[in-house]
Amino acid sequence: MTLDFTYQASAARIVFGNGASGDVVKWVEALDCRRALVLSTPHQAADAQALSNRLGPLSVGTFTEATMHTPVDVTERAVARAAELGVDCVVSLGGGSTTGLGKAMAYRTDIQQIVIPTTYAGSEVTPILGQTENGVKTTVRSPKITPEVVIYDPQLTLGLPVGMSVTSGLNAIAHAAEGLYAPDRNPITTMMSIDGIRALKEALPALIDSPRDGAAREKALYGAWLCGTVLGQISMSLHHKICHTLGGSFDTPHAETHSIMLPHTIGFNASAVPELMTPISDIFGGATPGQALYDFAKSIGSPMALKDFGLSEADLDRAADIATRNPYSNPRPIDRTAIRALLQDAWSGTRPPY
Ligand code: NAD
């Protein structure tokens, strides 16, 4: 890489530490807010209520309908409820789905957001919102979408089930791996990519052995922050395009899709820019980056085949069409035949050739 770059730091204030979510009152007050609405999925409603209780008079209640892929009708209900209650900030407690709801509200109303992530998705540090209406998922970017404060408290991830920890962690690695060859990468994002991938590579196997290992949880969340920051600052390519296609048009689950596709897409691109992908080989070993990522994912119990998630072999033709229809930047030229072959390997769970 030549030293010729633009770097824009994220506007989000990052607070990291075991027990850090205990200071949530301080951060609501720091934003000069007095009427917070706590957001969560139905699954984490009890945790949201406990957080609302901790906020005491600073909370006006909870909204616990956050849903994967951020459906617009849910957002509209949340915005209406916030207006009724005179809310001046949201506190989003959960994974990318809950963060997505808070971001969707901020996109419409510019409301301030505090996010307390409990997965490794990385959405909390990006200015990107994906939302769904009438079965179509679209993506928008805006500075309004970036949360004001992100509180990373590893203790809140101790109960993240092992299966979700694995797929969510691989989802985070995917952001950083694509960051290594992004056309707008810079020395800072490359450093963050390498350190983020390394942290997750070390933490994920430790979590499988011992899901409540505090040091491993801390390292995994630290890696997730770095990888998410990379996602928010530079462009993504083939891997994210294919995962967006599969999730948006075939409703495959988000983190699992990233986990399955990762060795195939990164391997495919690594063959065009091997010098940029040496960090993957340094961190994972292996003959090639794609094979090394495949072996790692398999060793930590990741799902390996798209066919296990409701996708038929015939769907692969349409997925290849959608994913190659519009041009986008990618280190290796996008060729429909090659992408169809790559999808076939991911569908059947075959170790990639590159
Ligand atoms: P999720 O937020 O949908 O969470 C999955 C389930 O796990 C939910 O029921 C949730 O309540 C539960 N959960 C979360 N944390 C838990 C914990 N610690 N313990 C037990 N259960 C827990 O899953 P996700 O993978 O974090 O997020 C996926 C969504 O995020 C997708 O919609 C995706 O598009 C979006 N996303 C957006 C960006 C972006 O920058 N815009 C980046 C990454 C992901």
Side-chain angles (χ1 to χ4, degrees):
M1 175 195 279
T2 55
L3 288 181
D4 177 1
F5 60 89
T6 302
Y7 175 67
Q8 171 71 57
S10 167
R13 179 190 292 272
I14 306 300
V15 183
F16 195 106
N18 277 302
S21 62
D23 282 341
V24 64
V25 165
K26 177 174 120 186
W27 293 110
V28 171
E29 287 173 342
L31 293 179
D32 215 11
C33 292
R34 296 290 174 271
R35 297 183 65 77
L37 182 65
V38 179
L39 309 178
S40 76
T41 61
H43 180 72
Q44 289 175 290
D47 293 337
Q49 187 56 54
L51 183 61
S52 176
N53 295 345
R54 171 172 290 168
L55 283 166
L58 288 177
S59 172
V60 298
T62 63
F63 182 92
T64 59
E65 297 174 37
T67 306
M68 175 98 61
H69 304 311
T70 324
V72 166
D73 59 320
V74 175
T75 302
E76 286 171 353
R77 278 205 299 283
V79 167
R81 180 119 179 87
E84 256 165 48
L85 293 168
V87 167
D88 57 12
C89 73
V90 292
V91 182
S92 308
L93 175 70
S97 298
T98 303
T99 303
L101 174 59
K103 289 164 110 178
M105 293 172 73
Y107 181 58
R108 287 162 178 77
T109 65
D110 211 9
I111 197 160
Q112 302 201 78
Q113 307 167 69
I114 297 174
V115 183
I116 307 180
T118 61
T119 71
Y120 307 133
S123 171
E124 63 282 350
V125 278
T126 79
I128 308 163
L129 165 66
Q131 48 184 355
T132 316
E133 189 167 25
N134 302 323
V136 179
K137 188 166 181 178
T138 51
T139 302
V140 286
R141 268 181 182 261
S142 163
K144 285 194 284 190
I145 293 170
T146 305
E148 276 69 21
V149 179
V150 181
I151 305 176
Y152 288 103
D153 184 346
Q155 281 176 8
L156 301 186
T157 61
L158 290 175
L160 184 65
V162 168
M164 279 183 61
S165 303
V166 165
T167 54
S168 193
L170 290 168
N171 182 192
I173 289 175
H175 308 326
E178 284 227 294
L180 290 172
Y181 52 58
D184 48 356
R185 69 190 181 279
N186 59 65
I188 303 295
T189 57
T190 298
M191 279 196 303
M192 288 193 287
S193 289
I194 294 170
D195 212 28
I197 294 171
R198 193 185 304 281
L200 283 157
K201 150 74 172 61
E202 289 168 6
L204 294 178
L207 290 181
I208 294 169
D209 291 344
S210 177
R212 299 189 71 83
D213 175 339
R217 286 290 180 189
E218 186 176 71
K219 192 177 273 189
L221 198 59
Y222 169 73
W225 164 54
L226 291 172
C227 294
T229 303
V230 171
L231 170 70
Q233 295 190 356
I234 52 177
S235 311
M236 296 288 116
S237 299
L238 177 70
H239 173 82
H240 283 73
K241 178 72 178 178
I242 289 186
C243 292
H244 186 90
T245 299
L246 294 173
S249 302
F250 302 93
D251 208 24
T252 59
H254 179 83
E256 289 84 345
T257 304
H258 274 271
S259 302
I260 294 167
M261 290 310 309
L262 179 68
H264 302 280
T265 49
I266 300 303
F268 176 84
N269 278 338
S271 59
V273 282
E275 70 289 357
L276 297 180
M277 302 312 271
T278 49
I280 299 284
S281 304
D282 291 347
I283 294 169
F284 293 96
T288 65
Q291 291 176 355
L293 286 167
Y294 182 93
D295 294 344
F296 175 69
K298 198 167 182 182
S299 75
I300 58 173
S302 166
M304 302 304 293
L306 290 174
K307 67 179 180 201
D308 297 335
F309 291 88
L311 204 72
S312 75
E313 206 166 352
D315 290 334
L316 302 181
D317 290 322
R318 195 158 68 86
D321 288 342
I322 300 171
T324 57
R325 190 179 290 152
N326 299 316
Y328 50 90
S329 120
N330 194 63
R332 182 168 162 181
I334 303 288
D335 156 60
R336 191 200 174 279
T337 308
I339 298 305
R340 178 63 180 79
L342 176 159
L343 282 166
Q344 185 71 39
D345 284 347
W347 184 81
S348 54
T350 309
R351 194 168 185 248
Y354 18 66

